[in-house]
Amino acid sequence: MVTVLGRHLMRCRLNATREGGSRLFPASPRTPLEMSPFGGWGLLSAFLALLCCTGSGEEAFEVRMWPEQLMVESGESQVINCSTTCTQPNAGGLETTLHKTLLEEQAQWKLYEVFNVSQDTDVICHFTCSGKQESRSLNISVFYPPKQVLLKLWPTLVAVGRSFTIQCRVPSVAPLEGLTVTLLRGSEIVYNQTFVGTTLSPQEAMVTHNTTAHREDDRHNFSCRAEMDLRSRGGDLVHSVSDPQALDVYEPAQDNQTVIIITVVSVLLFLFVTSVLLCFVFGQQWHQRRTGTYGVQAAWRRLRWAYRA
């Protein structure tokens, strides 16, 4: 037992000497422990030295990947960096089911490009140092950006004070989480909606909003903006805007109640005039039957006869 401890103590002494440190153990394993600088703690020091020196030949190191989070547009490529803190790794690389190309490398890092990322997948970076292997994995998430934003107004011709509808559709977008659709009148926000959900398959997002027409609405174009914020998941801020559309707004000449009143009064006046004319015509016919002629004509004749006389 003393011989084994002596050998370990000698190794630790040699390591300490190489590193430029002071001697913490006896110069010779045959030196009696009671004569060492540690005195009565010699056996305990020897045991701690044994534990400390065990496995000293293995070097602790880390494997790192950049970026640490990654979201890629479907079908696109991405550059990935694998690195290690080991100064002289024996081997290293990137494991993936995707097509990859090694762009550049040095002793402690390798730069890869992966192609045609069409679905969520994991890639693994690994290095071997002094016979020990360490690895790190990275999940690549796929997103479908809002490439097309469609705006619809109906009706497109509306009176002041009347309601109309604004509808915005964003087809084939994913994920919905973090997608915000904003309805705009010029640069003014009319309405916005932020979607929630974890569905990864592309789907359509739609926003419908009813509002009241104002006189100044015909001086502004309406538009729709779709914005996808992927920064918290390793992506970017992606947005797209629809084509602008105009709304025709007119001032009504008069309201419906006034139109109804005028129409009723006109009909009643027409009926009154018609009834008066009918009464006059029927009265003249009745008088003609009694006198044989119209009273106006008889009076005219009497006037002519009196003048001749």
Side-chain angles (χ1 to χ4, degrees):
M1 177 67 179
V2 174
T3 302
V4 174
L5 290 175
R7 291 176 181 174
H8 279 284
L9 291 172
M10 178 62 72
R11 290 176 184 172
C12 291
R13 183 182 66 81
L14 291 175
N15 290 338
T17 303
R18 290 173 184 172
E19 295 175 358
S22 61
R23 273 197 261 177
L24 299 178
F25 306 100
S28 171
R30 293 183 176 84
T31 301
L33 293 177
E34 62 272 9
M35 296 179 62
S36 70
F38 293 96
W41 296 92
L43 287 175
L44 179 60
S45 301
F47 180 71
L48 293 176
L50 179 63
L51 294 178
C52 180
C53 295
T54 302
S56 60
E58 295 183 359
E59 181 182 355
F61 67 99
E62 294 181 359
V63 175
R64 299 168 182 168
M65 298 185 74
W66 186 90
E68 297 180 351
Q69 291 182 309
L70 186 57
M71 289 202 77
V72 181
E73 182 178 347
S74 177
E76 295 295 321
S77 61
Q78 180 64 38
V79 174
I80 300 175
N81 181 276
C82 291
S83 63
T84 178
T85 57
C86 177
T87 56
Q88 294 294 331
N90 304 114
L94 182 71
E95 298 296 329
T96 177
T97 58
L98 301 170
H99 177 63
K100 65 181 180 180
T101 298
L102 179 62
L103 300 178
E104 191 177 352
E105 66 175 327
Q106 289 190 13
Q108 291 183 273
W109 58 268
K110 298 177 183 290
L111 188 66
Y112 291 91
E113 184 175 8
V114 293
F115 300 91
N116 193 25
V117 184
S118 58
Q119 59 182 357
D120 292 2
T121 185
D122 290 327
V123 295
I124 301 175
C125 181
H126 62 86
F127 282 95
T128 302
C129 186
S130 301
K132 182 180 179 181
Q133 187 181 70
E134 293 287 347
S135 63
R136 175 161 293 192
S137 64
L138 169 67
N139 177 260
I140 303 178
S141 301
V142 174
F143 73 94
Y144 297 81
K147 293 184 176 181
Q148 191 178 22
V149 182
L150 306 175
L151 178 68
K152 181 180 180 182
L153 304 176
W154 80 85
T156 56
L157 177 64
V158 61
V160 173
R162 294 302 184 87
S163 64
F164 68 100
T165 302
I166 309 173
Q167 184 185 82
C168 182
R169 295 190 301 111
V170 186
S172 301
V173 62
L176 285 184
E177 182 182 5
L179 175 68
T180 301
V181 177
T182 305
L183 305 178
L184 299 168
R185 182 183 62 181
S187 58
E188 177 188 356
I189 297 177
V190 177
Y191 179 78
N192 61 8
Q193 179 178 337
T194 299
F195 290 82
V196 295
T198 58
T199 303
L200 299 179
S201 58
Q203 54 187 300
E204 181 178 79
M206 185 171 65
V207 172
T208 302
H209 178 65
N210 295 321
T211 186
T212 303
H214 302 279
R215 179 69 270 179
E216 60 272 15
D217 287 344
D218 62 351
R219 296 194 295 269
H220 300 281
N221 286 326
F222 287 83
S223 60
C224 178
R225 182 180 67 223
E227 191 173 69
M228 180 180 287
D229 191 354
L230 304 173
R231 290 174 293 185
S232 63
R233 305 175 65 177
D236 298 320
L237 186 64
V238 184
H239 71 277
S240 184
V241 182
S242 69
D243 294 331
Q245 291 192 23
L247 181 70
D248 293 328
V249 181
Y250 66 92
E251 288 279 0
Q254 48 202 356
D255 57 21
N256 291 338
Q257 186 175 2
T258 304
V259 173
I260 293 174
I261 293 175
I262 293 176
T263 303
V264 171
V265 170
S266 299
V267 171
L268 293 176
L269 181 60
F270 174 76
L271 294 177
F272 174 75
V273 173
T274 302
S275 62
V276 170
L277 291 176
L278 290 177
C279 290
F280 177 76
V281 171
F282 288 134
Q284 289 295 321
Q285 289 181 352
W286 177 78
H287 189 273
Q288 183 182 15
R289 290 193 190 98
R290 294 187 58 187
T291 61
T293 183
Y294 289 102
V296 175
Q297 294 179 349
W300 174 252
R301 288 171 183 169
R302 286 195 298 269
L303 182 62
R304 290 177 61 187
W305 290 340
Y307 178 76
R308 290 178 182 176

